[in-house]
C-alpha cells in the first residue's frame, strides 16, 4: 500500500484589517473560527458568574445569553471580532444574534472534552465552520445535497458521519465514487470452486464490499441493463439483525438512501423496476424520496405484506405489534410495467337473454333515441351460457364512473323511475364493444331503491375460434405471508434470524417484474434470498454485501442452490440444482485498517495500528503531520474507545478501496490474474 502523502497544515490566520470607525459595528472580517473561540474564552473567563470550579460553565453562558444579560452583551460588544460575528446593526442599534451565539457555545469545540481537545490538537477539526455538522435544511433535510462518507456496520454508528457537499466538494466525491478494482475472483459450480476462465455478461455475480462504491463500480459495466432491483435496506429502528448501522439519525438515513437510490436508477433499463421493502418507521419519508428520485409519475404501487401473526409475541412490554411491511414499487420510465397473471376467459356469466314482448315508448336521452319498456312488455330469462348470451352487471359503485354504461346510467337513468315507473327496461343504442347495436338497462324495482342493472354481450375480440380465451387479472397490493416469514429461518441451508425474507415472497416479486434471463440486483443482499430465488427461477443476478457473513452465509447459500438446495421454492419450480456464479471483492486500501481497528481489543494493538497507519495508510488531509509525534503521549492517554474513534476519523474515507485507475500500482500487490479478470470484466461496459 502506498505511503500517505500528508502535507503540513497551512496557517489559517487572515491579515489584519484597518481599525473601523466606532460609530458603526466593525466591518472587518472575523478571525478564523478557532481564534474566535479562543477570544471568546478570554473575554468570558474574567466574569465570575460564568465560572464554576475553575471552569467556564456552558449552561450558565447559554442561560445569560438567552436572557440577553446586559453585562454579557457588553463583554461581547467590547470585542471587535465578537461584535462583528454575533451582532448586526439596524440604524445605530446593535442586534444580538443569540441563536448563532448559542450554536457556538453548544459546539464541542467550545470547552471540549478530552477527546475533542485531542482532535483539535492533531488538526481534525475543520477551520471553515464552527458547527461540527451543518444543520441547515436544504429543500427537505440536512445534507440532502451531500454524499455520505460512511460505512454501514454497527461500529460506524459510534462516530460522527461525514458529508461531502455535491457543489462544494465535487473532487472529493469523484474520488470517493470512482470505479474500484476487484480481486479474489472465484467461480463456483456443481464441481465446487473451479477455474474462473472467461468473464461474460451472462455471469451471476456476488460482490463483497461497500455497496455504494460497488454500485458505482458496476455502473461502468451494467448501466441501463438491470430489469429489477429489490432491496431490503436498514429500517432505521436500532433493532436490525443484519449488523448494519441501523440507528442513523433521520437526516443521515435519508442521505444514505438517496445516495444509493440515485445510482440504482442509472442501473435500471428503461423498462426496469425497483422494489424497496421497509417498515413504517421511515416508509412515509422514503416514499417522498423515491417520488423525487424516480419521479412521482413512475410510482407504480405500494404493496403491503403481512410479516407476522397478531398472536406472535416479540417483546412482552411492547405497546404495539407491527404486522405489516411496505414495499414501494417504482419504474424507470413509463415503459415499466408489472406482469399480470392470466386466467381462462369464462363464458359462464353470459347466461341471460332478454325477450321484448310489447311495444316500447321512445324518448331521447343524452342525444340517443332510447326505447323504454314498461313492466309486462319484456321478459328476462336465465339460459345456457354461450357466446350469444348476456352478462348481468349491477350499475353501482365504481362502475358508475368506470365505463360508458355506468356513466350513462348515472347521468340519464338514475332517478327516472318516478317518470317511467318501477322496473322499466331501457334499450340504449350505440354503447359497448360487444358488437350489438344496443345495450339493455333496468331501473329500480322497489320504492326508494336507486340501483339498476345493465346487460352486455361478450366482447367481439373473444368470440369465435380466433378470439382471445384468456384475460389479465388485476394485481393485488396486499399479501398475507406471515407464516412464510415466520418459517423461513433455515431456508437455503443457512441460519439467519430476524431479517431473512422468504423465498416465496421474493418469487412473487420476480414473477411480477421479470422474465427468464432478466438481470436482478440486490445491494443489501444479506443471507442471499434474492440471488437464490433468481438462480432457481432462471434469472441472472448481482448481489452486493459488505458484512463478513457474506463468506459464511451468503456464499454458502448460493453454493447450496447450485448443489440442489430443496428448501424454499425448490419444489414449486422443480429445482434440481445447476448453474454457477462468480465471487469477487472490492480491493481494500484503508478498509484494511478499518477492519483492524474494529477487531482490536487492547491499547497495544491500537498503538501498533496507529504507527503502521502513519507509514502506510491514506490519512485525512486535515491531519497536521508535524504534530503527530509531538502529541503521541496524548494519543496513548486516550481510552480504547476514543483511540478507535480517532483512528477511524483520521483515515481518508475516499480511499477505503483501491481505485481502478491505480490497479497497476505495485504497492497494492494486485496479482496478474486479478488484473486480467478486471480487464475482462470492465470490457463488458463497452459491449
Amino acid at each position: 500500500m502506498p505511503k500517505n502523502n500528508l502535507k503540513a497544515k497551512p496557517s489559517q490566520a487572515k491579515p489584519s484589517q484597518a481599525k473601523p470607525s466606532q460609530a458603526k459595528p466593525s466591518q472587518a472580517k472575523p478571525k478564523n473560527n478557532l481564534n474566535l473561540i479562543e477570544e471568546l474564552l478570554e473575554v468570558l473567563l474574567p466574569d465570575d458568574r460564568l465560572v464554576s470550579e475553575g471552569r467556564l460553565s456552558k449552561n450558565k453562558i447559554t442561560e445569560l445569553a438567552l436572557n440577553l444579560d446586559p453585562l454579557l452583551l457588553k463583554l461581547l460588544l467590547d470585542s471587535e471580532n465578537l461584535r462583528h460575528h454575533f451582532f448586526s446593526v439596524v440604524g445605530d442599534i446593535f442586534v444580538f444574534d443569540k441563536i448563532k451565539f448559542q450554536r457556538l457555545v453548544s459546539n464541542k469545540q467550545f470547552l471540549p472534552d478530552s477527546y475533542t481537545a485531542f482532535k483539535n490538537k492533531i488538526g481534525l477539526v475543520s477551520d471553515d465552520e464552527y458547527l461540527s455538522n451543518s444543520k441547515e435544511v436544504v429543500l427537505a433535510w440536512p445534507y440532502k445535497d451531500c454524499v455520505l462518507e460512511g460505512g454501514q456496520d454497527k461500529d460506524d454508528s459510534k462516530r460522527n458521519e461525514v458529508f461531502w457537499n455535491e457543489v462544494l466538494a465535487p473532487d472529493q466525491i469523484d474520488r470517493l465514487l470512482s470505479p474500484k478494482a476487484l480481486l479474489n475472483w472465484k467461480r463456483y459450480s456443481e464441481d465446487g470452486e473451479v477455474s474462473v476462465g472467461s468473464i461474460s455478461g451472462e455471469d451471476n455475480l456476488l460482490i463483497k464490499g461497500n455497496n455504494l462504491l460497488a454500485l458505482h463500480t458496476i455502473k461502468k459495466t451494467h448501466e441501463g441493463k438491470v430489469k429489477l432491483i429489490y432491496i431490503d435496506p436498514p429500517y432505521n429502528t436500532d433493532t436490525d439483525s443484519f449488523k448494519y448501522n441501523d440507528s442513523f439519525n433521520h437526516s443521515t438515513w435519508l442521505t444514505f438512501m438517496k445516495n444509493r437510490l440515485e445510482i440504482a436508477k442509472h442501473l435500471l433499463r428503461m423498462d426496469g423496476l425497483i422494489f424497496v421493502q421497509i417498515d413504517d418507521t421511515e416508509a412515509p419519508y422514503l416514499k417522498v424520496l423515491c417520488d423525487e428520485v424516480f419521479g412521482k409519475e413512475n410510482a407504480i404501487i405500494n404493496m403491503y405484506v403481512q410479516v407476522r401473526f397478531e398472536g406472535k409475541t416479540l417483546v412482552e412490554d411492547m405497546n404495539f405489534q407491527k404486522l405489516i411491511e411496505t414495499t414501494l414499487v417504482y419504474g424507470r420510465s413509463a415503459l415499466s410495467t408489472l406482469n399480470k397473471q392470466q386466467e381462462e376467459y369464462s363464458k359462464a356469466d353470459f347466461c341471460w337473454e332478454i325477450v321484448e314482448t310489447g311495444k316500447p315508448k321512445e324518448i331521447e336521452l343524452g342525444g340517443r333515441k332510447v326505447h323504454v319498456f314498461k313492466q309486462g312488455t319484456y321478459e328476462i330469462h336465465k339460459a345456457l351460457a354461450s357466446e350469444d348470451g348476456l352478462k348481468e352487471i349491477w350499475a353501482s359503485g365504481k362502475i358508475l364512473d368506470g365505463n360508458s354504461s355506468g356513466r350513462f346510467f348515472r347521468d340519464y337513468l338514475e332517478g327516472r323511475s318516478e317518470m317511467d315507473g318501477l322496473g322499466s327496461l331501457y334499450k340504449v343504442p350505440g354503447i359497448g364493444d360487444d358488437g350489438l347495436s344496443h345495450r339493455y338497462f333496468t331501473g329500480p324495482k322497489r320504492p326508494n331503491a336507486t340501483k339498476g342493472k345493465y346487460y352486455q354481450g361478450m366482447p367481439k375480440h373473444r368470440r369465435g375460434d380466433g378470439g382471445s380465451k384468456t384475460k389479465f387479472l388485476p394485481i393485488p397490493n396486499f399479501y398475507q405471508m406471515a407464516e412464510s416469514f415466520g418459517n423461513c429461518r433455515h431456508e437455503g441451508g443457512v441460519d439467519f434470524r430476524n431479517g431473512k425474507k422468504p423465498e416465496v415472497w421474493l418469487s412473487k416479486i420476480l414473477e411480477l417484474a421479470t422474465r427468464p434471463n432478466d438481470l436482478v440486483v440486490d445491494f443489501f443482499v444479506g443471507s442471499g434470498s434474492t440471488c437464490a430465488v433468481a438462480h432457481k427461477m432462471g434469472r441472472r443476478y448481482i448481489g452486493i454485501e459488505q458484512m463478513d457473513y457474506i463468506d459464511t452465509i451468503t456464499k454458502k447459500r448460493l453454493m447450496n442452490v447450485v448443489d440442489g438446495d430443496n428448501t424454499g421454492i425448490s419444489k414449486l419450480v422443480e429445482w434440481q440444482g445447476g448453474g454457477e456464479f462468480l465471487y469477487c471483492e472490492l480491493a481494500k486500501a484503508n478498509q484494511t485498517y478499518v477492519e483492524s481497528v474494529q477487531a482490536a481489543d487492547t491499547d497495544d494493538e491500537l498503538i501498533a495500528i496507529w504507527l503502521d497507519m502513519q507509514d502506510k495508510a491514506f490519512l485525512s488531509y486535515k491531519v497536521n503531520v508535524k504534530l503527530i509525534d509531538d502529541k503521541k503521549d496524548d494519543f496513548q492517554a486516550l481510552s480504547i474507545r476514543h483511540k478507535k474513534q480517532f483512528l477511524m476519523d483520521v483515515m481518508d474515507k475516499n480511499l477505503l478501496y483501491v481505485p481502478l485507475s491505480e490497479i497497476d500500482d505495485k504497492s497494492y500487490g494486485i496479482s496478474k490474474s486479478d488484473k486480467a479478470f478486471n480487464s475482462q470484466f470492465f470490457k463488458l461496459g463497452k459491449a
Side-chain angles (χ1 to χ4, degrees), residues 33 99-100 102-104 106-109 125-126 128-136:
N33 290 322
I99 302 301
K100 190 174 185 180
Q102 182 186 9
R103 285 176 177 169
L104 177 57
S106 300
N107 186 260
K108 287 185 178 181
Q109 296 180 45
V125 176
S126 171
D128 296 329
E129 293 287 346
Y130 60 70
L131 292 178
S132 60
N133 283 315
S134 173
K135 294 297 189 294
E136 290 90 10

Side-chain angles (χ1 to χ4, degrees), residues 5 25 63 83 115 130 156 237 252 260-261 280 290 339 363 365 372 380 385 415 530 558 566 572 585 607 613 622 640:
N5 53 351
E63 177 189 347
R83 182 173 68 247
Y115 175 65
Y130 60 70
D156 278 339
T237 60
T252 303
R260 286 152 179 79
L261 292 173
D280 59 358
C290 288
N339 303 322
I363 62 175
L365 293 174
V372 182
I380 299 178
T530 304
L558 292 180
N566 62 2
L572 292 175
E585 303 173 359
I607 291 170
M613 285 175 59
K622 300 176 188 176
I640 288 180

Side-chain angles (χ1 to χ4, degrees), residues 1 61 79 102 127 199 208 318 357 445 455 521 599 657 661 669:
M1 187 180 296
I61 295 169
S79 165
Q102 182 186 9
D127 287 336
I199 297 172
K208 181 179 181 181
M318 287 180 65
T357 60
K445 294 183 178 181
Y455 295 81
V521 169
Y657 298 93
S661 60

Side-chain angles (χ1 to χ4, degrees), residues 230-278:
Y230 169 84
I231 56 172
D232 179 28
Y235 287 4
N236 206 19
T237 60
D238 202 24
T239 59
D240 191 87
S241 64
F242 278 71
K243 301 185 182 349
Y244 290 133
N245 179 349
D246 201 27
S247 58
F248 291 125
N249 67 57
H250 181 57
S251 295
T252 303
W253 186 88
L254 286 171
T255 304
F256 173 86
M257 290 302 300
K258 177 175 178 284
N259 295 162
R260 286 152 179 79
L261 292 173
E262 286 176 334
I263 180 61
K265 179 180 178 180
H266 286 282
L267 296 176
L268 287 173
R269 293 170 13 181
M270 291 307 293
D271 64 344
L273 296 141
I274 183 168
F275 285 59
V276 186
Q277 187 148 342
I278 200 72

Side-chain angles (χ1 to χ4, degrees), residues 395-462:
S396 61
K398 293 183 178 180
I399 290 291
L400 298 176
D401 301 311
N403 60 37
S404 57
S405 296
R407 290 189 293 272
F408 188 87
F409 185 92
R410 176 197 66 194
D411 295 340
Y412 302 108
L413 300 182
E414 208 168 41
R416 283 198 62 88
S417 57
E418 294 183 4
M419 293 174 278
D420 303 324
L422 293 171
S424 293
L425 176 75
Y426 301 87
K427 185 178 183 180
V428 183
I431 293 182
D433 62 350
D434 51 15
L436 304 178
S437 61
H438 56 270
R439 183 151 290 174
Y440 287 109
F441 294 80
T442 59
K445 294 183 178 181
R446 300 187 306 276
N448 301 321
T450 58
K451 293 181 180 180
K453 299 177 182 178
Y454 68 89
Y455 295 81
Q456 71 175 44
M458 184 176 289
K460 289 187 294 183
H461 70 279
R462 300 196 182 278

